[in-house]
Amino acid sequence: MSQIKIYALQPTIEQFRHQLSHAIHQALVESLNYPIEKKFQRFIALAKEDFIYPNDRSPHYLIIEISMFEGRSIEAKKSLIQSIFTYAEQQCGISPQDIEITIFETPKCNWGIRGQHADQLQLNYQVNV
């Protein structure tokens, strides 16, 4: 399970929502063997006065937060991060300089999904990759 939040200025989200969604999901599918049909993303569009960032970032600066079950290897997580940088640049023209990614991992017992604890779910994909 992965939940994705993408924070950016409103014009950036309006311009790149579809391409960013595809780039991030493609990275998840390829790097974590994540099921293609499992797409959970939230785009959070911010007004300029609500998004303060360093001067060495462009107006396309974005923050990506990924919440997911614990269990992926360091190599898989590094691959995911690098793939997001690569695909966002290829598909949106957003420089890796303008992207910050944080992965938050929690035990399945800390998730409630479809009326049950996630550690009781039967998943159709492997978490330990």
Side-chain angles (χ1 to χ4, degrees), residues 18 27 29 46 61 74 88 97 106 109 111 113 118-119:
H18 179 75
V29 169
L46 300 164
Y61 173 68
I74 291 172
Q97 170 72 15
T106 56
C109 66
W111 292 64
I113 301 170
D119 59 356

Side-chain angles (χ1 to χ4, degrees), residues 35-46:
I36 197 159
E37 71 278 2
K38 301 281 186 186
K39 188 186 253 190
F40 301 96
Q41 301 174 344
R42 292 180 302 283
F43 285 84
I44 299 144
L46 300 164

Side-chain angles (χ1 to χ4, degrees), residues 31-32 68 71-81 103 105 129:
S31 299
L32 303 183
M68 63 185 184
R72 275 72 177 209
S73 68
I74 291 172
E75 294 79 21
K77 291 180 281 189
K78 285 184 173 186
S79 174
L80 172 62
I81 289 169
I103 296 174
E105 292 182 289
V129 294

Side-chain angles (χ1 to χ4, degrees), residues 4-122:
I4 315 297
K5 294 180 198 169
I6 302 98
Y7 301 87
L9 291 172
Q10 175 96 27
T12 298
I13 288 180
E14 288 173 3
Q15 182 177 359
F16 296 112
R17 183 187 333 263
H18 179 75
Q19 299 97 316
L20 273 173
S21 175
H22 183 266
I24 293 166
H25 195 63
Q26 182 180 0
L28 276 169
V29 169
E30 291 177 8
S31 299
L32 303 183
N33 297 322
Y34 199 70
I36 197 159
E37 71 278 2
K38 301 281 186 186
K39 188 186 253 190
F40 301 96
Q41 301 174 344
R42 292 180 302 283
F43 285 84
I44 299 144
L46 300 164
K48 187 172 175 68
E49 61 271 14
D50 293 327
F51 197 37
I52 301 166
Y53 52 86
N55 291 333
D56 64 346
R57 306 306 195 280
S58 85
H60 294 312
Y61 173 68
L62 52 100
I63 297 171
I64 300 169
E65 293 180 352
I66 303 168
S67 297
M68 63 185 184
F69 297 155
E70 65 184 358
R72 275 72 177 209
S73 68
I74 291 172
E75 294 79 21
K77 291 180 281 189
K78 285 184 173 186
S79 174
L80 172 62
I81 289 169
Q82 189 57 53
S83 293
I84 292 172
F85 287 143
T86 298
Y87 293 143
E89 186 169 36
Q90 287 175 352
Q91 297 175 30
C92 306
I94 298 175
S95 168
Q97 170 72 15
D98 283 327
I99 303 170
E100 293 189 17
I101 303 165
T102 307
I103 296 174
F104 300 94
E105 292 182 289
T106 56
K108 289 184 197 175
C109 66
N110 289 354
W111 292 64
I113 301 170
R114 297 188 313 266
Q116 46 187 318
H117 294 282
D119 59 356
Q120 298 170 329
L121 289 174
Q122 297 298 317

